[in-house]
Amino acid sequence: NGTPAMATLRGVLGRRGSAVPTALNLVQCCGWAALEVYVIAQVATSLTGGHGRLWWTVAAGALATLMAVRPIRSVRVIRRYLMWLVLAATVYLLWHVVTRAQAAPDAAGTWDAFWPAFDIVVTMPVSWAVLAGDWSRHSKNRRATLIGVGTGYGVTCAAFFLIGVLAVTGSQSLAGEYSPSAFVNGLLAVPVGALALAVLAVDEVDEAFANIYSTAVSAQNLVGRWDRRTLAVVVGAMATALAALVNLESYEAFLLLIGAVFLPLAAVVLADWYIVRRIRGGAAGAGFSVAEPDAPTWRYLLVWAFGVCVYSTISPAQVPGWSGFWEWIATRVPWLTDLGGSATVATLVLTAAATVAVGVVRRD
């Protein structure tokens, strides 16, 4: 219906309640934009002999910001020209790492790290899912949205996860290194890998501009009268400055924070849409409206906060002042951590159950 992602949350959290996830989404988007610019600069620097990282950072940030100012025209250019080069580079890299994949001679693994890794992998698409409405609102119909978003993002996400894992673990010289630099160096070792990386680096600019654009659009849920183009310029400058000044090599803690915040939010939205509204109104999504000024704001905000607590207790992000608190909480609720397994699964189940309980019994 043409509604940006953050505005759609008004139908669940209310107009005022949607301001909370919007503010957090602004931080997330700006962080992702900075990371994308950082990766582009890292690749460009590696391809040019290790020199000029600051200039590459500024150039990537400026180009991404310019594209965010004119997003529809930028998407048309990407779709017409760049998409096919990226597809070819992706297929080549995937073919190469798969056909040459081999375990290190002394490799030994256990299942201990499976669920933490699972949580990280799930966090990546969840962090993007909260932005999907910013772009799918331009789709012609719901079917096109589902196919484009679900298939397009799902397949490419899986492909690049596989490329990244095999490129890093397949090179013994990179043992123990898991960072953007390790990924870049692993692919540079591939024949014609430099050319493929150059194509992907150019394509990475569209990821940066998409995050800058979504930050600007999300901000309009708070300051609707501000010009989106002006907001895009401000956000682009902030992301470029972060990419230039902050070392973004290790971002696992950032991913876990995203998972703790947005995964329970997704559980609240989905449970309300598919279960609560069907019970109360007779059909999934019955009565949904972005114009609802006072939907069950505080109740669902409490459920969301409950989900954040569950996720953080099971899998706290290693951030000073944050992880220590949740590790202390875990000692008070040992039954939660004793469940074992995935923070993602536990959070989805418990938060959805709480949403249904609160949503069904609430009074209008």
Side-chain angles (χ1 to χ4, degrees), residues 145-186:
T145 300
L146 179 62
I147 294 175
V149 174
T151 305
Y153 186 72
V155 171
T156 54
C157 189
F160 277 99
F161 266 119
L162 184 59
I163 290 173
V165 169
L166 294 180
V168 174
T169 60
S171 175
Q172 296 188 28
S173 64
L174 297 174
E177 295 184 31
Y178 299 94
S179 65
S181 295
F183 178 75
V184 170
N185 294 333

Side-chain angles (χ1 to χ4, degrees), residues 240-264:
T240 304
L242 283 173
L245 301 175
V246 179
N247 186 346
L248 300 174
E249 288 286 309
S250 178
Y251 55 95
E252 181 177 314
F254 177 54
L255 289 175
L256 289 175
L257 284 173
I258 290 174
V261 171
F262 291 105
L263 194 115

Side-chain angles (χ1 to χ4, degrees), residues 306 309-314 329-330 333-340 346 350:
F306 164 73
C309 294
V310 171
Y311 192 102
S312 299
T313 301
I314 299 174
I329 292 293
V333 285
W335 64 269
L336 187 57
T337 54
D338 288 345
L339 290 175
L350 294 176

Side-chain angles (χ1 to χ4, degrees), residues 258-269 303-304 307-308 311 347-348 351:
I258 290 174
V261 171
F262 291 105
L263 194 115
L265 178 62
V268 171
V269 172
V303 173
W304 178 26
V308 173
Y311 192 102
T347 301
L348 285 174
T351 306

Side-chain angles (χ1 to χ4, degrees), residues 280 299 358-364:
R280 295 176 61 85
R299 297 179 181 87
V358 169
V360 171
V361 302
R362 73 178 177 86
R363 297 180 179 179
D364 293 319

Side-chain angles (χ1 to χ4, degrees), residues 6 43 72 158 277 326 353 356:
M6 290 298 102
V43 172
I72 302 302
R277 292 173 185 266
W326 291 109
V356 173

Side-chain angles (χ1 to χ4, degrees), residues 6-15 17-18 265 267-273 277 287-292 294-301 355 362:
M6 290 298 102
T8 60
L9 294 177
R10 296 178 186 177
V12 177
L13 299 176
R15 187 180 298 274
S18 69
L265 178 62
V268 171
V269 172
L270 293 175
D272 178 79
W273 179 268
R277 292 173 185 266
F288 179 83
S289 171
V290 299
E292 291 185 54
D294 293 306
T297 305
W298 68 269
R299 297 179 181 87
Y300 278 173
L301 285 176
T355 301
R362 73 178 177 86

